[in-house]
Amino acid sequence: MRVVMAEDNALLREGLVLLLTSAGHEVVAVAGSGPEILPALLRHRPDVAVLDVRMPPGFRDEGLRAALEARGEIPGLPVLVLSQYVEESYAAELLAGGAGGVGYLLKDRVGRVDEFLDALERVASGGTALDPEVVTALMGRRRGSPLGSLTPREREVLELMAEGHDNAAIATALVVTERSVSKHIGNVFLKLGLPVGDSGHRRVLAVLAYLNNA
């Protein structure tokens, strides 16, 4: 998998490059500041971009802005955003486009190598990977959502879907059977009025509907 990465911290940047190359991925470009990101993405058109939210020179939202602009130029470009803290507005803005291939992880999650690489793979394949803390923060903002028809269990299932878990992992987390999880997911699809079709695509649509209405 070809990766463009943006991270201003030299130590973390080198660590990420080593981690990704050791896992068999190719880091085709590394950006150390906000203005470098978009040109690198447009030049290399990677399979996935891994971007820090706050980059020089302003250390505000340069990485996020580059991600949004790049997805406008390269529709469907998978982007995994890293942040030191939960930035609810940043996460909501990244997800507002209504397309898959997006992730938002806290940098602490990078230290959990298997989780990070799994999230990267999910985003690259068009899915979502949201840090549990980000999902919790977004959930706390939901008031009067059109998702209010979901039962508490269905909301739990959808929350775990937002974190990127598959049916087996959801079943383990909730201590229920996979058949039960499938039934709950089917109810979520029905209540959200999602079209009949590829279940993987509908999972992404359900997660995006959930987070966009957080």
Side-chain angles (χ1 to χ4, degrees), residues 38-124:
L38 184 60
L41 293 173
L42 294 178
R43 177 183 178 185
H44 294 281
R45 295 178 177 261
D47 299 310
V48 62
V50 179
L51 310 176
D52 188 359
V53 169
R54 300 187 177 191
M55 295 285 291
F59 292 98
R60 295 173 62 87
D61 58 0
E62 289 83 356
L64 176 71
R65 293 295 159 208
L68 294 172
E69 192 171 350
R71 282 171 70 87
E73 295 281 346
I74 311 173
L77 173 69
V79 175
L80 177 59
V81 169
L82 303 178
S83 180
Q84 191 70 40
Y85 310 102
V86 176
E87 304 274 8
E88 296 174 35
S89 60
Y90 291 169
E93 189 165 0
L94 180 64
L95 294 159
V102 293
Y104 188 110
L105 296 181
L106 296 183
K107 288 187 178 181
D108 288 347
R109 200 71 52 183
V110 177
R112 304 173 188 178
V113 175
D114 290 340
E115 289 185 28
F116 172 71
L117 293 175
D118 182 56
L120 186 71
E121 294 282 354
R122 288 201 305 274
V123 170

Side-chain angles (χ1 to χ4, degrees), residues 8 18 45 48 53 56 65 71-72 81 84 105 113 133-134 154 157 163 176 178 187 197 208 210:
D8 70 294
L18 179 60
R45 295 178 177 261
V48 62
V53 169
R65 293 295 159 208
R71 282 171 70 87
V81 169
Q84 191 70 40
L105 296 181
V113 175
E133 290 188 34
V134 174
E154 288 163 357
V157 169
E163 293 173 14
V176 297
E178 286 191 49
N187 289 338
L208 292 172
Y210 168 70

